Amino acid sequence: MTEAEQKPEQAPLGRRLGFAIGALATGLLSGLASELLTQSLDSGGWIQRIGIALTVVLGVIAIVYNAPAVLNAIRRARSGRVVTTSELHLAAEEAERWMVALGSKSGGMDAAEWYTMNADRLRAVLESDKPGPENADDLARICDALELWYVRQADPDALLKLSEFLRTVGEGCGRSDLKELAAARTATAYRMIGDLRSATLWLGISSELAPNGRTAAAMTTRRHVERALSSLHRAAGTSAGSDRDEALETARNRLDDARLRRPGPDLTAEITILVNLAVVQLYRHDAEGAVDHLHAAIARATAAGDVSGEAHASELIGVAAWMRKNPREAEGWWRHAAHLNADIDDREAQARCLQHLGSAQAVAGNLKKAAEYLEDSAGLRTSESPLLARYLKEVGDTSSAPPSPGPPPHLPWPARVRRWLRDRRSH
């Protein structure tokens, strides 16, 4: 029986944490700059950040059903009426189904559309009911679903507010497990902002709240991966040398710890860890080692029906191909990743792949095609990208500059005759 088919009373906290942690997900790689892997357009490179967002690596299951009852409950909540316990439960069930589908082969496009229409309404549902022991789990399930969406949308401010809400629920109900998860979620938000000191502080708080709970192993796994990502973030902002090497070694050790501590066979968590290990290898200029991890990640993502995970791994194989000076192969992988992301309507990830393609075309001197890719990327963005804006400006400035003088093109003899006749008629 799949998780989506379990009865409501068989959906305990551990199951909910499996999504929030197993997917680690939701952008645990979001915003990581891969400056080590790239050069600027000025010096003939492609793009300064890959901005991998491994987020939303959820997997697998689920045929999604549209439950009118929950939508009616959300509309009533939005109109100001307090949601009953049964209505809140229906909203949590529906949100969880869409959460399972987000990024998956079995309904990723529909799930993205549903989130776009209903994320604000879910927040209204959360705020319409007074937290208590009888509804804490349902409130937390809605928070889990919203976390995936906020990280996918690169919205750390919304994630911080969501974490504060869950922390309030945990405190009001005496639930250390919810406070532990809220603190870890806060750390993720601060890492996305770039405040690594605050992220480390909140991870420490999380580790002290429920060390012996039934979800301890899963939470430990999440914190290991989160600390690894903070180390990668530090490596990205450090010049090559001993400090960077130390940060990369710390990241790898944390990922190895996460692999050992993950609770049972969890394809989603394994995909996340494999992709992150590949990022470490790419920072170390070990393209071959990275590709080994990435092909393993694709195999597991295919088995799990996880299109998002497959897309992120494919994107990084393109990075590895570019490092090996094989631009044609790199562009092929980026087109494949862009297509996969379009299938699940992950616009940020699709925009990132188009940005890679545009930068590659610029390096090749195809400025018109580069501008098309970059403009398409800008049209899909749900958040600002200063790097993309800079590339658009540079490509535009270059394409609008007067052409440099050069030797006349060699024309075939019929064209030379036509040009000679045209010149004669003009005199």
Side-chain angles (χ1 to χ4, degrees), residues 80-229:
R81 189 173 71 75
V82 175
V83 175
T84 67
T85 300
S86 60
E87 289 171 343
L88 177 64
H89 184 73
L90 286 173
E93 286 289 298
E94 183 72 359
E96 191 169 69
R97 290 190 186 102
W98 288 114
M99 177 181 72
V100 172
L102 190 65
S104 74
K105 187 177 182 180
S106 61
M109 177 73 76
D110 290 338
E113 182 180 355
W114 185 88
Y115 268 103
T116 299
M117 296 175 60
N118 294 287
D120 291 341
R121 295 179 181 180
L122 283 180
R123 282 307 305 265
V125 169
L126 291 179
E127 295 164 3
S128 66
D129 205 6
K130 183 179 180 180
E134 72 284 352
N135 63 14
D137 280 335
D138 285 333
L139 292 171
R141 291 161 74 192
I142 293 175
C143 288
D144 293 344
L146 285 171
E147 178 192 17
L148 300 189
W149 184 246
Y150 289 152
V151 181
R152 175 165 169 168
Q153 296 299 102
D155 192 347
D157 292 336
L159 186 58
L160 279 173
K161 294 177 182 176
L162 188 72
S163 304
E164 178 60 33
F165 174 82
L166 184 61
R167 186 159 50 250
T168 301
V169 173
E171 290 172 352
C173 301
R175 294 280 297 272
S176 295
D177 53 348
L178 297 184
K179 291 190 290 182
E180 179 188 27
L181 175 57
R185 192 169 286 162
T186 300
T188 298
Y190 276 118
R191 179 186 52 75
M192 291 169 63
I193 293 171
D195 186 350
L196 301 184
R197 179 174 297 180
S198 294
T200 300
L201 172 65
W202 280 102
L203 285 174
I205 293 172
S206 175
S207 65
E208 295 173 358
L209 286 170
N212 300 313
R214 53 185 172 150
T215 60
M219 286 303 304
T220 299
T221 298
R222 174 168 183 154
R223 286 190 292 266
H224 279 319
V225 174
E226 189 62 57
R227 288 187 173 106
L229 295 172

Side-chain angles (χ1 to χ4, degrees), residues 10-28:
Q10 295 175 320
L13 175 65
R15 171 186 164 191
R16 293 189 290 90
L17 282 178
F19 290 115
I21 299 158
L24 296 166
T26 47
L28 292 184

Side-chain angles (χ1 to χ4, degrees), residues 58-80:
L58 284 174
V60 340
I61 17 189
I63 298 198
V64 196
Y65 299 97
N66 189 5
V70 67
L71 297 180
N72 291 333
I74 294 172
R75 292 189 190 101
R76 286 193 291 271
R78 198 177 186 189
S79 67

